[in-house]
Amino acid sequence: MERIALLKNLTEAFGISGYEEDVLNILKKNFVGQDTLTKDRIGSIIAKKVGKSEKPKIMFAAHMDEVGFMVKEITKEGFIKFIPIGGWWVGNLPGLRVKIKTKKGEYIPGVIGSKPIHELSPEERKNLPKVEDLYIDVGATKNFNVKEKFGIKPGDPVVPETEFIPLGNSDLYMAKAWDDRVGCGLLIELLNNLTATEHPNTVYLAGTVQEEVGLRGAKTAAYAIAPDIGFALDVSICRDTPGNDAEAVEKLGGGVGILIYDRTMIPHSKLKDFVCELAEQNNIPYHFTSIKGGYDTGSIHLTNFGVPCLALGVPSRYVHSGATIISLEDYENVLNLITLIVKNLDTETLQQII
């Protein structure tokens, strides 16, 4: 599938944590024909690509889930109270267009509502609203019973309603769920690159579930794979917008984001050095970055006796909101780097790393 069409399909797919089926089906379609294709009991999918050697076993993980919401309850007036799934800043919520997926598979459009500014007291205007005071409006009126008309129930998943679009700068694309459909796209394109290339190892491509609520799918997938080396493919943070350091290296067009710290893992230093040397030898731009959140490698690196791991990111603006922006140039640089990693990471190199 052509890249833009693939990324559009992935980002527009519906899939909060625990409801990743639509994304899984896209990966499954693109993984068909590999040596083995398995699915664990909580929903992660793993494709195995055998090279010239069974080892080292290299795991690339990208999570299929996106941040969103879950229906908590429906008020007697027909408004929908919700639970945030994943990390949300409440300031991004009022006015956000969303859609709810019912048990029947129907999509119900709505908007997150709040008290209008005209009705806020001077004191209320000083503070952000509380999530419990917000609600989703799907068209409730006195004579329109939302429960009966739509069949919406507690537990139904909700995602932002955002179209995948190119911006005026043709290298930049805006969509929901780049976190982490960008990683899912990289898994598919890495596999395409390896199909016609010999590599001295065996590669496992894992589309994981429930990363946004605790790196859960990565834990079960890594247990199934027992990798020798692990990588998370995800977004990294841009710091190139107003209010940040004007000289920040974490920017659109900044190349591969190499994580030196997150709250779940400090990367393996020798693996990091190996990847940086590869990037430098092949003129692939990169920068070091950190984040207060975590990546799938936070679970992978604790598997069995330990797994050297590194997280690689595509720099992204406005992560964990209804619309995020990435650069296709950065995406291409990450793809080129991970392809080189697979071509060069043999048993001898593994021994030097560990």
Side-chain angles (χ1 to χ4, degrees):
M1 184 182 293
E2 187 258 345
R3 175 175 292 171
I4 299 302
L6 171 65
L7 295 176
K8 177 179 173 65
N9 287 346
L10 284 167
T11 55
E12 292 186 351
F14 191 107
I16 68 163
S17 307
Y19 293 84
E20 298 94 346
E21 294 90 344
D22 291 356
V23 188
L24 183 146
N25 288 334
I26 296 173
L27 289 181
K28 186 176 180 180
K29 180 179 178 181
N30 284 276
F31 285 170
V32 167
Q34 295 318 301
D35 298 288
T36 60
L37 186 61
T38 57
K39 179 183 174 185
D40 72 19
R41 292 180 181 177
I42 66 169
S44 296
I45 186 171
I46 304 167
K48 179 181 179 182
K49 174 68 170 66
V50 177
K52 292 191 294 183
S53 174
E54 186 67 27
K55 294 179 76 68
K57 295 160 70 175
I58 308 173
M59 177 179 179
F60 289 93
H63 64 93
M64 299 182 289
D65 57 319
E66 63 186 294
V67 294
F69 313 93
M70 181 179 287
V71 174
K72 180 180 181 182
E73 60 180 310
I74 303 172
T75 70
K76 61 181 181 181
E77 296 84 11
F79 296 101
I80 296 164
K81 294 290 187 175
F82 59 87
I83 302 167
I85 301 297
W88 282 94
W89 183 58
V90 71
N92 286 330
L93 300 185
L96 180 67
R97 292 177 58 191
V98 298
K99 60 182 178 182
I100 302 170
K101 187 175 183 179
T102 69
K103 185 178 180 179
K104 293 181 179 180
E106 297 173 340
Y107 295 99
I108 311 302
V111 63
I112 294 181
S114 63
K115 196 173 180 180
I117 189 171
H118 313 77
E119 300 297 318
L120 297 176
S121 68
E123 191 61 32
E124 287 175 321
R125 293 188 185 198
K126 296 178 183 178
N127 302 300
L128 289 170
K130 297 179 180 179
V131 170
E132 52 266 31
D133 294 329
L134 302 177
Y135 51 86
I136 298 172
D137 187 345
V138 295
T141 60
K142 183 177 180 180
N143 298 316
F144 190 90
N145 190 306
V146 167
K147 289 183 181 179
E148 293 180 2
K149 295 288 185 179
F150 297 140
I152 297 171
K153 297 180 179 179
D156 285 346
V158 186
V159 300
E161 177 70 279
T162 308
E163 182 184 3
F164 172 95
I165 59 170
L167 297 181
N169 178 342
S170 60
D171 180 52
L172 306 184
Y173 280 78
M174 181 170 68
K176 74 170 181 65
W178 279 125
D179 181 7
D180 182 28
R181 308 298 162 67
V182 71
C184 294
L186 288 167
L187 290 181
I188 292 168
E189 294 211 51
L190 174 60
L191 179 57
N192 292 340
N193 285 355
L194 298 180
T195 299
T197 303
E198 288 190 343
H199 51 98
N201 43 51
T202 295
V203 175
Y204 294 81
L205 306 165
T208 62
V209 297
Q210 299 190 42
E211 189 265 4
E212 296 292 1
V213 291
L215 317 181
R216 298 170 185 173
K219 185 174 184 177
T220 56
Y223 182 85
I225 295 167
D228 298 306
I229 294 281
F231 295 91
L233 306 178
D234 211 316
V235 297
S236 56
I237 300 297
C238 275
R239 296 184 170 96
D240 59 350
T241 52
N244 288 292
D245 182 356
E247 302 301 318
V249 296
E250 297 115 319
K251 59 187 178 182
L252 295 179
V256 183
I258 297 180
L259 274 293
I260 59 170
Y261 174 84
D262 69 70
R263 65 175 174 80
T264 65
M265 187 192 74
I266 295 174
H268 192 282
S269 60
K270 290 185 179 180
L271 177 58
K272 174 170 61 68
D273 292 343
F274 163 72
V275 171
C276 291
E277 288 172 11
L278 264 184
E280 291 165 8
Q281 292 166 2
N282 290 275
N283 298 313
I284 297 175
Y286 72 89
H287 58 273
F288 294 124
T289 187
S290 60
I291 193 172
K292 294 178 182 177
Y295 292 92
D296 272 342
T297 39
S299 285
I300 298 168
H301 82 291
L302 298 175
T303 305
N304 296 329
F305 295 104
V307 179
C309 282
L310 184 65
L312 303 174
V314 177
S316 306
R317 287 180 183 164
Y318 320 122
V319 173
H320 282 216
S321 72
T324 301
I325 299 172
I326 71 157
S327 157
L328 290 185
E329 181 182 355
D330 292 332
Y331 177 92
E332 179 73 18
N333 280 317
V334 176
L335 178 61
N336 290 340
L337 181 56
I338 60 178
T339 302
L340 285 168
I341 289 170
V342 175
K343 289 180 179 180
N344 287 274
L345 216 172
D346 56 17
T347 301
E348 181 180 351
T349 303
L350 173 66
Q351 292 306 314
Q352 293 172 356
I353 290 172
I354 62 176

